[in-house]
Each structure stands twice: as structure tokens, then as C-alpha cells.
């Protein structure tokens, strides 16, 4: 992947204030956040960049929401990310945190206080100005986002106060050390909206969009059909990673919802669209060799896997959960269903995540061990091969959502693999917009999904029992490890605690990792500089057509 520009600032991006340990964490410990297993970071081609034109991008699904603070599905993040800026940005090549809306920051020694010094002259699309009070309004409103704001809420958990120091200086204070927060300010989930936008209800922001300061403005949203964005005139405060100063090149962005992968591929080949999401293995051959570039990058964060409801009677038994984990042939799924280069899960975290630990031996496919564990748990095979105990069959329902073409075929293989050891599986499809409410309700056995973030604290967001605890884990030593890694600024200690957390999750099979998500896009060769950000989503400010 073509590297993003590495701007060497004439002054530090932040004042250390005895902050060297966490700086080292953010810069050094990001492993392999470059391009994964191949692909080009731009649309290909060469020539002089020029302004104008419309980029039409076909995506596979719509999350039913156009508020960046509430959207968790990659295919919707692609579009709504362009409407908001963040306090900081993260270099996808190095993991370095760099200026965006904040020109610099101070952090105290124990990572409880973060003071951001904002750029002047930034305005939102309604004409209002960025100020410290706006940032405070945003962060104060995050707890009110409800079910869809889980990521943002996790990033601000244990916040004590957000204080306006002066018109362009804001201080965020936590009740306890919160080492992950600086990276969190680079995410779309903490993208800054105008104070007027913040006052809208979460439902209004989902349906009508938000007022951001980003390089593009939402013009039209038709749920499950399209999202249309227009260039923000006068934009002049982009991330320090971007090569172009001022306004974006493109005049207009159109994101069309096209659920069928084959139809998306055909539309790209025929020139009806300029880029497509979620290119699957079945369409790779047809797209290669033509006027299309395949771009791919492994997503950091929690891998695609089976999110087990640990409160379900059947799944309370560790042996049953471990049997499910052992029964999955991850390599077969990765090689059969997913794009070329996709890796089987070797931990609950993807290998591109900081402080990832290789637990491949704990995730080895072992059908004999799975059967032995189920035998020990008292589940005996019946005449139809499905196990039963006390007159009840061993059956689980896996709930899934059509936000990627690979989901159904991957789960059909999971279904076959589990039935081979005596576990009956029912696959239940819901709409993408039902994902958050399903997790919140707890009305599921197993949920198929992943969570992308370029920081290991995503484990705390997903599995800490004192946060949302969607998977109904019991309180255990895992909580201690997760809270500990969020509190320490000692890089070695944090790595040790993240390592411990991964082992506890995998060895107790609280979650069943299956395959690393690899984002693969198809991009017309007339599209240039369409680049991945640190979360393997896209940034379109520097993109142009020619």
C-alpha cells in the first residue's frame, strides 16, 4: 500500500509531560498496521491530481444510521466518516498519533488528564465555530447516545469531567488512568459535531445526519438505497496526514447500497460505479487484469468470530464453549470463503493490533477434542448424530447480519463443522440495523461479528463486565487484566496485561475467534489516492478522478 505522507512537524505534536511511556506504546507497539497481505493503497495510475467529479461507491449494506458517533458497520463508516473531523488522527503505517482539530496536547504522568489545544478558524457546515465548549458538549452527550453509541461510551468510560480552560483549550479528566484515550480521539466514534447537532436526539441524528466540520457534507440519505455527500466549500483544516491542503478534490460522493457481491463487481467492470466494497474470492478473478485495482488491508481489533452469550444455560459450561472453539476449522473457512490472503484467527485480536499475542496452538482445529469435551459435559450423540442430555438436543442459534457477502457462506461452513461433532446449528438472519439492539437485549445464543479498532483496549469495550457486557461474561480475573491495561502507561506492563486478557478469553472460550477480517476493495484505475486509514476504513479527502 502506498504510504500516507509522513509530515515532520517543526514542533512536537504534543508536550511530553513525562508521557514518554505511552508515546512509546503508541508509536512502537503498533504491529504491522500497514497493508496486510497485499494490494495497493491508491487507485493506481499516475498523472496530475485535479479537482472535480463524482465518485460512485457501491457498498453491500446500510446500517440505518448516518451519525458517525453511532455507526459501527464498516460499509456505513466509509461514507459518514467523511462528514466529521476528529481531535487527532493515527498514521496507519506507524500508529503515530498526529494533529487534526487539535494542534497539540498535554497529558499528565498517570494518564488521567488530557488537555487539547484546538486549531483556530475551524467551522462546522452550519457556520458555527469549533471551540472548547463544542468538544465538551460532544463528550458530555456521549452517555446519552444509547445502544448504538457503545464504542464512544467505552472510550469515555470513567470520565470525571470535561472542562473548558479557555475558548480553544479543553481538558478531559478521568477518575482513573485511561491510557487508551488519546488513540480514541482519532476514531470516527469520537468525531466532533456542532453543538446544535449534539442537542438532537440519537434517533434524529441517525435519520437526518449530523452537522460536522468534515471535508464533505451530507446532502441526501435514502435508507437502504444511497448516501450522497457534497464537497464542503472553504474546508481548510484537514488531518496532518493528508497530502492536499484545503478542500477535497472530489465534488460529490455517492454511496449506493448494492447487496449482491456479483452485481457490485459487474457494476465496477462496466463503469457504472468507481469503487466497490467487500470484494469476495468469487469475484477476484473477474476483476483482476482489467481496469480495476484490488486494495486490501487486514482490520485491527477483535476478529470475526462467534460471540457467545455466556449466560445461556448450555453455554455456561466451559467445556461446551471449548468444544465449539476446537470444532472450528479456521483455515478451511478462510481459504474457502474469504478473499485471497485472509488469515485464520490466531487470537481474539487480529495480528495487526498492538500487543497481539499468537495463540494459534489454543485455536487449533481438533474435532476429537471437541467430541471428548462434549462427552465429558454429558452430551451424548443420538442416532441422528446430534447430541442430547436430559432429553434435550444440543442446539444453538447463530444470529448474523448481511453486512458482508462472506457472512452466510462462512456460517454455513461453521454450521457443518459444529454438526460434525454433534451440535445442531440454526442460522438466523436479521437486518444490519438490528445489530446493536440484539446485543443489548441479550436475546441470542451466538452472534457473528467483529469490532475494528487499532488499539487493544477494544477488548475492554467488548468483554469488560462493568461496561456493556453484551456477551454476559461472569466477573473474573479477566476484568482485572482489562481494567489494568487501560490504566497503565508502562508499555511493558500493558503488553503483559493485554497478553493475559487474550489468553483468558481464548482459553475459557468466552468468545470463539474464527477469521481475521480483511477489507478488500475494488477500485477503478481512474480513481487515485483512495487510501486506508488506521482502522482499514477509507479517507477520501485526497482522492481524485482522472
Amino acid at each position: 500500500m502506498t504510504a500516507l505522507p509522513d509530515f515532520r512537524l517543526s514542533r512536537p505534536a504534543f508536550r511530553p509531560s513525562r508521557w514518554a511511556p505511552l508515546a512509546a506504546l503508541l508509536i512502537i507497539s503498533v504491529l504491522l498496521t500497514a497493508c496486510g497481505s497485499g494490494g495497493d493503497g491508491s487507485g493506481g495510475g499516475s498523472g496530475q491530481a485535479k479537482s472535480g467529479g463524482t465518485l460512485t461507491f457501491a457498498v453491500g449494506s446500510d446500517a440505518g444510521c448516518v451519525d458517525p458517533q453511532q455507526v459501527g458497520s464498516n460499509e456505513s463508516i466509509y461514507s459518514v466518516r467523511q462528514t466529521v473531523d476528529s481531535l487527532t488522527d493515527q498514521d496507519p503505517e506507524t500508529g503515530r498519533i498526529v494533529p487534526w482539530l487539535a494542534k497539540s496536547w498535554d497529558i499528565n504522568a498517570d494518564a488521567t488528564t488530557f488537555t487539547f489545544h484546538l486549531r483556530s478558524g475551524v467551522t462546522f457546515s452550519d457556520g458555527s465555530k469549533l471551540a472548547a465548549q463544542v468538544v465538551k458538549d460532544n463528550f458530555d452527550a456521549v452517555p446519552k447516545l444509547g445502544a448504538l453509541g457503545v464504542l464512544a461510551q467505552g472510550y469515555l468510560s470513567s470520565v470525571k469531567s470535561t472542562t473548558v480552560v479557555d475558548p480553544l483549550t479543553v481538558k478531559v479528566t478521568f477518575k482513573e488512568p485511561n491510557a487508551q484515550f488519546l488513540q480514541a480521539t482519532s476514531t470516527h466514534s469520537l468525531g466532533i459535531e456542532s453543538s446544535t447537532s449534539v442537542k438532537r436526539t440519537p434517533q434524529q441524528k441517525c435519520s437526518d445526519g449530523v452537522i460536522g466540520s468534515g471535508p464533505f457534507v451530507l446532502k441526501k440519505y435514502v435508507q437502504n438505497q444511497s448516501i450522497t455527500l457534497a464537497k464542503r466549500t472553504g474546508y481548510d483544516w484537514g488531518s496532518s496526514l493528508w497530502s492536499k491542503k484545503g478542500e477535497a478534490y472530489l465534488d460529490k460522493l455517492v454511496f449506493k447500497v448494492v447487496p449482491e457481491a456479483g452485481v457490485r463487481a459487474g457494476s465496477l467492470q462496466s463503469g457504472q460505479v468507481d469503487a466497490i466494497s467487500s470484494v469476495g474470492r468469487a469475484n477476484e478473478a473477474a476483476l483482476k487484469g482489467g481496469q480495476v485495482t484490488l486494495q486490501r488491508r487486514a482490520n485491527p481489533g477483535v476478529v470475526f468470530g462467534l460471540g457467545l452469550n455466556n449466560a445461556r444455560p448450555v453455554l455456561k459450561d466451559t467445556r461446551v464453549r471449548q468444544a465449539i472453539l476446537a470444532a472450528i476449522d479456521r483455515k478451511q473457512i478462510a481459504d474457502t470463503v474469504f478473499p485471497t490472503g485472509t488469515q485464520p484467527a490466531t487470537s481474539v485480536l487480529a495480528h495487526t493490533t498492538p500487543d497481539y499475542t499468537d495463540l494459534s496452538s489454543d485455536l487449533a482445529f481438533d474435532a476429537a477434542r471437541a467430541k471428548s469435551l462434549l462427552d465429558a459435559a454429558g452430551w451424548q450423540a443420538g442416532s441422528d448424530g446430534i447430541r442430547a442430555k436430559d432429553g434435550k438436543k444440543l442446539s444453538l442459534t447463530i444470529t448474523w447480519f448481511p453486512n458482508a457477502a462472506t457472512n452466510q457462506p462462512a456460517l454455513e461452513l461453521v454450521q457443518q463443522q459444529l454438526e460434525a461433532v454433534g451440535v445442531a446449528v440454526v442460522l438466523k438472519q436479521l437486518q444490519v440495523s438490528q445489530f446493536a439492539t440484539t446485543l443489548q437485549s441479550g436475546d441470542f445464543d451466538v452472534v457473528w461479528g467483529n469490532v475494528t479498532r487499532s488499539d487493544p483496549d477494544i477488548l475492554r469495550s467488548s468483554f469488560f463486565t462493568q461496561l456493556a457486557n453484551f456477551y454476559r461474561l461472569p466477573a473474573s480475573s479477566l476484568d482485572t487484566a482489562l481494567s489494568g491495561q487501560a490504566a497503565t502507561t508502562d508499555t511493558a506492563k500493558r503488553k503483559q496485561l493485554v497478553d493475559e486478557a487474550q489468553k483468558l478469553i481464548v482459553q475459557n472460550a468466552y468468545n470463539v475467534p474464527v477469521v481475521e477480517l480483511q477489507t478488500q476493495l475494488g477500485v477503478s484505475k481512474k480513481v487515485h489516492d483512495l487510501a486506508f486509514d488506521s482502522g482499514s476504513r477509507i479517507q477520501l479527502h485526497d482522492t481524485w478522478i482522472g
Side-chain angles (χ1 to χ4, degrees), residues 120-403:
S120 61
V122 176
T123 62
F124 295 91
S125 58
D126 63 355
S128 61
K129 294 182 178 180
L130 173 70
Q133 183 63 47
V134 178
V135 177
K136 173 178 168 57
D137 291 343
N138 271 261
F139 290 172
D140 286 351
V142 162
K144 304 169 188 174
L145 288 175
L148 295 181
V150 173
L151 287 177
Q153 291 160 6
Y155 300 157
L156 283 164
S157 63
S158 80
V159 68
K160 182 179 180 181
S161 64
T162 302
T163 307
V164 174
V165 177
D166 64 43
L168 289 176
T169 307
V170 61
K171 180 171 68 175
V172 185
T173 303
F174 292 88
K175 299 172 186 174
E176 56 196 30
N178 194 2
Q180 61 83 36
F181 182 63
L182 184 61
Q183 191 277 336
T185 64
S186 72
T187 66
H188 71 280
S189 300
L190 293 184
I192 304 300
E193 304 169 4
S194 76
S195 292
T196 299
S197 188
V198 166
K199 292 174 184 175
R200 296 175 178 171
T201 67
Q203 294 77 19
Q204 287 174 321
K205 294 201 297 178
C206 265
S207 60
D208 301 335
V210 302
I211 300 168
S213 65
F216 292 91
V217 179
L218 177 67
K219 285 299 182 183
K220 187 177 183 182
Y221 171 47
V222 182
Q223 189 169 344
N224 294 321
Q225 292 186 33
S226 65
I227 296 174
T228 303
L229 309 178
K231 176 166 68 176
R232 170 80 190 280
T233 303
Y235 182 86
D236 195 25
W237 41 85
S239 162
S240 56
L241 290 175
W242 300 349
S243 59
K244 186 182 188 299
K245 302 300 181 184
E247 299 175 1
Y249 286 113
L250 294 165
D251 289 334
K252 188 176 176 183
L253 305 174
V254 179
F255 292 82
K256 294 183 177 181
V257 180
V258 182
E260 298 81 9
V263 175
R264 290 197 302 276
S267 298
L268 179 59
Q269 286 177 298
S270 66
Q272 292 176 289
V273 302
D274 305 303
I276 62 174
S277 70
S278 302
V279 176
R281 182 180 290 267
N283 300 118
E284 287 177 352
L287 292 174
K288 286 179 180 176
Q291 294 303 307
V292 174
T293 298
L294 295 180
Q295 298 178 212
R296 57 176 79 112
R297 186 177 190 271
N299 286 36
V302 176
V303 300
F304 254 124
L306 304 175
L308 306 181
N309 186 339
N310 287 257
R312 287 289 207 238
V314 169
L315 295 172
K316 282 184 177 181
D317 190 328
T318 304
R319 294 168 297 186
V320 173
R321 299 196 306 270
Q322 290 172 333
I324 294 171
L325 185 142
I328 303 299
D329 186 341
R330 293 161 183 80
K331 188 175 187 305
Q332 182 191 37
I333 295 171
D335 291 349
T336 304
V337 174
F338 288 87
T340 300
T342 298
Q343 297 190 25
T346 51
S347 175
V348 64
L349 291 177
H351 77 279
T352 50
T353 317
D355 296 332
Y356 149 87
T357 297
D358 186 346
L359 300 175
S360 47
S361 60
D362 292 305
L363 291 170
F365 169 53
D366 190 340
R369 181 171 186 267
K371 292 176 181 179
S372 177
L373 285 163
L374 292 173
D375 287 340
W379 293 94
Q380 300 301 313
S383 58
D384 59 355
I386 301 302
R387 294 171 181 267
K389 182 167 72 172
D390 300 328
K392 183 178 180 181
K393 287 187 176 293
L394 180 52
S395 178
L396 296 171
T397 297
I398 300 178
T399 302
W400 66 282
F401 307 86
N403 59 337

Side-chain angles (χ1 to χ4, degrees), residues 16 20 55 58 66 101 110 129 134 143 183-184 210 288 337 341 361 369 394 397 412 416 434 439 443 474-475 504 521:
L55 176 74
V66 282
L101 293 181
D110 64 356
K129 294 182 178 180
V134 178
Q183 191 277 336
V210 302
K288 286 179 180 176
V337 174
S361 60
R369 181 171 186 267
L394 180 52
T397 297
E412 287 172 349
Q416 294 171 21
Q434 296 175 276
L439 289 179
D443 186 19
L504 287 169
L521 309 177

Side-chain angles (χ1 to χ4, degrees), residues 83 191 455 525:
T83 66
D455 190 279
K525 288 186 176 179

Side-chain angles (χ1 to χ4, degrees), residues 453-470:
R453 187 187 177 190
S454 188
D455 190 279
D457 192 65
I458 195 63
L459 293 176
R460 186 173 62 98
S461 302
S462 301
F463 302 110
F464 189 48
T465 65
Q466 294 177 42
L467 291 177
N469 197 18
F470 288 140

Side-chain angles (χ1 to χ4, degrees), residues 464-496:
F464 189 48
T465 65
Q466 294 177 42
L467 291 177
N469 197 18
F470 288 140
Y471 302 110
R472 276 57 178 181
L473 270 65
S476 69
S477 57
L478 175 60
D479 286 335
T480 305
L482 292 175
S483 59
Q485 64 79 31
T488 184
T489 61
D490 182 316
T491 57
K493 184 177 180 182
R494 191 182 193 214
K495 180 174 179 58
Q496 178 185 354

Side-chain angles (χ1 to χ4, degrees), residues 72-99:
S73 173
N74 284 348
E75 306 232 318
S76 291
I77 294 169
Y78 294 154
S79 56
V80 300
R81 184 41 164 146
Q82 317 306 319
T83 66
V84 293
D85 300 317
S86 298
L87 291 178
T88 65
D89 203 356
Q90 184 176 23
D91 190 323
E93 300 291 344
T94 66
R96 186 167 61 109
I97 303 299
V98 301

